Amino acid sequence: MLCVPVDEEIPEASDSVVKAITDVIEMDSKRVPKEKLGCITRCSKHIFNAIKISKNEAASADDFLPTLIYIVLKANPPRLQSNIQYITRFCNPSRLMTGEDGYYFTNLCCAVAFIEKLDGQSLNLSAEEFELYMSGQASPHWTQGEGASSSSPGSSALSQVHKRLDLLTGLGERQDSVIEKARQLESDLIDWTDEVEQKVQSVLESFPPDLPKPAPAATSASAIDSENVENEGLPPPLQPQVFAG
Amino acid sequence: MAASGAGGGKTYSFKVVLLGEGCVGKTSLVLRYCENKFNDKHITTLQASFLTKKLNITGKRVNLAIWDTAGQERFHALGPIYYRDSNGAILVYDITDEDSFQKVKNWVKELRKMLGNEICLCIVGNKIDLDKDRHVSVEEAESYAESVGAKHYHTSAKLNKGIEELFLDLCKRMMETAQAEERLKGNGASQSASNRRGVQIVDDEPQATPAGGCCSSG
């Protein structure tokens, strides 16, 4: 595969990787070629840092280019091709051809050219293997690659992907069980209301004579109202008194 | 590409690419030359892929920018992006590895085809400390180098052998090429040896303060 010599299990290294990604993405927001080049240079410095932490030696181009390709793939910088064209056309040619910025820019161009032409051969894969990976029928996994896969530096990232995939499947299962339980609860609730209704019904049926009993009371209350029996006991309403004046 | 210098005399700026298969010792070679270190845990530079060296050759100042390239076979197709506009190329092979010498031959063919004779080629057989395991004969390598107009050197980054000579020789040859090119263009053009581009922009940044450049006022 790409054989990226960066161990992202080391916090400092993965930190540098994140910074490098941020810098290469930031390039799009800069206006002048010089500032865009500055972003590429900063990105490259972070990559060197990550390699140095992982390998404990000064990074050579053999290590740098694969890592840069990895960073570009991971960052997917906005309008990368346009930015490269812009820098090529408007930057001072002598700066692009001789300086340190120029070196990193050239490497970025190489990384882009590599990605554009990416095929099985350039990843040391056979045509069939490449096809399988591209169609999603195969995925790099710990168990598949035995020793070879586990020893390659890229596999740490892949194992992370797989851990996350496992987590996601676990999450899906749990969600299914939650939904199932929610349905159970719903049907339980329906059953419960039915049960309550039935109980009320049965109670009503078992005490039918109780129902008419309150009825006379109700009629007597209305009788009181109609006959105004109570009213007679009340003092006569106050009469308005007229004061002379 | 020779640029104008500040003050007396002139400063040459040369770009040199290091080509060769992975593991032949390109990086060790250049680290030995620029830092005088080999396989050292205390290398101060963060990286060994872009290194510069300032030289003074017969009173003329030379700025050497050495570009390391990724040697893996799968990056071979990216070569033209690297060696474009370079003044010199150092083609490194491992004397114990016949295959790496074949790769050098491929590089030479490609460079001559793409850049013609403008580029100074050096073919370098590295790791002469492992002479007992030699698989590329001295005669074969030297006669091949001569046939393609390149110089051949034997070096050992481990023992620090032949490296100074290699770079010094290369610089002298690149200066000769640059001077010849200048004469061809007439003595008036002291500014530039490359007029391949339509517009010549003079880089005046070294004189300007970092904040004062026309580019940095956003």
Side-chain angles (χ1 to χ4, degrees), chain A residues 31-200:
Chain A
R31 245 179 244 165
V32 291
K34 195 179 145 192
E35 285 176 0
K36 286 182 193 284
L37 281 179
C39 288
I40 299 171
T41 305
R42 276 201 303 282
C43 166
S44 306
K45 295 271 156 86
H46 287 307
I47 291 174
F48 286 129
N49 206 19
I51 297 172
K52 180 141 196 182
I53 291 163
S54 308
K55 285 190 81 179
N56 246 330
E57 60 181 42
S60 70
D62 290 351
D63 300 327
F64 175 61
L65 187 59
T67 317
L68 183 64
I69 291 168
Y70 172 66
I71 296 288
V72 170
L73 285 174
K74 237 184 147 179
N76 188 16
R79 293 183 283 188
L80 181 61
Q81 194 66 44
S82 304
N83 277 307
I84 287 175
Q85 289 292 324
Y86 178 77
I87 295 169
T88 313
R89 286 182 193 166
F90 295 108
C91 195
N92 187 339
S94 72
R95 191 202 293 282
L96 276 191
M97 281 310 137
T98 50
E100 192 173 8
D101 290 346
Y103 178 73
Y104 299 135
F105 178 68
T106 304
N107 271 289
L108 183 68
C109 292
C110 283
V112 172
F114 181 84
I115 294 165
E116 277 171 357
K117 293 197 193 107
L118 191 74
D119 59 11
Q121 208 188 352
S122 55
L123 290 173
N124 298 334
L125 295 172
S126 70
E128 299 91 59
E129 270 181 299
F130 185 69
E131 231 3 86
L132 280 176
Y133 283 123
M134 290 307 281
S135 58
Q137 287 171 34
S139 66
H141 200 275
W142 285 103
T143 50
Q144 266 182 1
E146 292 118 32
S149 159
S150 59
S151 65
S152 78
S155 64
S156 70
L158 292 175
S159 76
Q160 275 190 353
V161 166
H162 276 279
K163 266 183 214 156
R164 263 151 222 183
L165 275 177
D166 287 348
L167 277 176
L168 277 177
T169 9
L171 207 62
E173 278 163 15
R174 282 163 67 188
Q175 198 169 9
D176 283 348
S177 76
V178 164
I179 287 172
E180 202 177 304
K181 285 205 174 139
R183 289 222 177 92
Q184 181 77 42
L185 188 66
E186 197 184 6
S187 66
D188 279 0
L189 275 173
I190 291 167
D191 286 354
W192 184 72
T193 46
D194 284 355
E195 214 179 292
V196 168
E197 227 165 79
Q198 273 174 7
K199 273 190 183 162
V200 168

Side-chain angles (χ1 to χ4, degrees), chain B residues 30-149:
Chain B
V30 73
L31 264 181
R32 172 62 92 180
Y33 180 59
C34 296
E35 298 252 320
N36 198 17
K37 278 173 185 159
F38 180 77
N39 250 349
D40 200 321
K41 293 281 170 221
H42 305 288
I43 286 169
T44 47
T45 50
L46 196 55
Q47 45 93 11
S49 52
F50 176 86
L51 290 165
T52 53
K53 181 103 174 170
K54 284 190 164 75
L55 294 168
N56 196 328
I57 298 172
T58 59
K60 301 230 168 69
R61 271 172 295 174
V62 176
N63 285 334
L64 211 55
I66 305 163
W67 290 34
D68 194 4
T69 62
Q72 295 95 319
E73 180 57 34
R74 56 207 166 114
F75 299 129
H76 184 99
L78 308 173
I81 309 176
Y82 279 118
Y83 58 66
R84 190 176 44 181
D85 284 315
S86 51
N87 305 88
I90 298 174
L91 303 140
V92 191
Y93 69 92
D94 178 350
I95 59 160
T96 66
D97 181 1
E98 171 73 38
D99 236 27
S100 67
F101 187 61
Q102 290 303 322
K103 291 270 157 58
V104 164
K105 288 184 175 176
N106 295 342
W107 277 117
V108 170
K109 269 184 223 143
E110 195 179 323
L111 285 168
R112 284 288 181 231
K113 198 172 113 199
M114 307 292 286
L115 299 174
N117 287 322
E118 295 171 45
I119 187 161
C120 299
L121 299 184
C122 294
I123 296 175
V124 176
N126 194 28
K127 307 195 186 177
I128 51 164
D129 47 293
L130 302 172
D131 201 56
K132 59 180 191 313
D133 298 321
R134 177 186 276 279
H135 281 98
V136 181
S137 78
V138 183
E139 298 78 37
E140 189 197 345
E142 280 180 349
S143 66
Y144 174 74
E146 207 179 329
S147 72
V148 292

Side-chain angles (χ1 to χ4, degrees), chain B residues 172-187:
Chain B
K172 282 181 183 160
R173 279 166 60 209
M174 288 192 295
M175 279 166 78
E176 278 166 24
T177 313
Q179 281 160 355
E181 208 173 320
E182 249 168 65
R183 274 197 297 277
L184 212 70
K185 293 214 166 77
N187 297 327

Side-chain angles (χ1 to χ4, degrees), chain B residues 5-20:
Chain B
K10 57 184 294 173
T11 307
Y12 291 95
S13 288
F14 294 126
K15 170 181 159 183
V16 176
V17 283
L18 277 169
L19 299 168

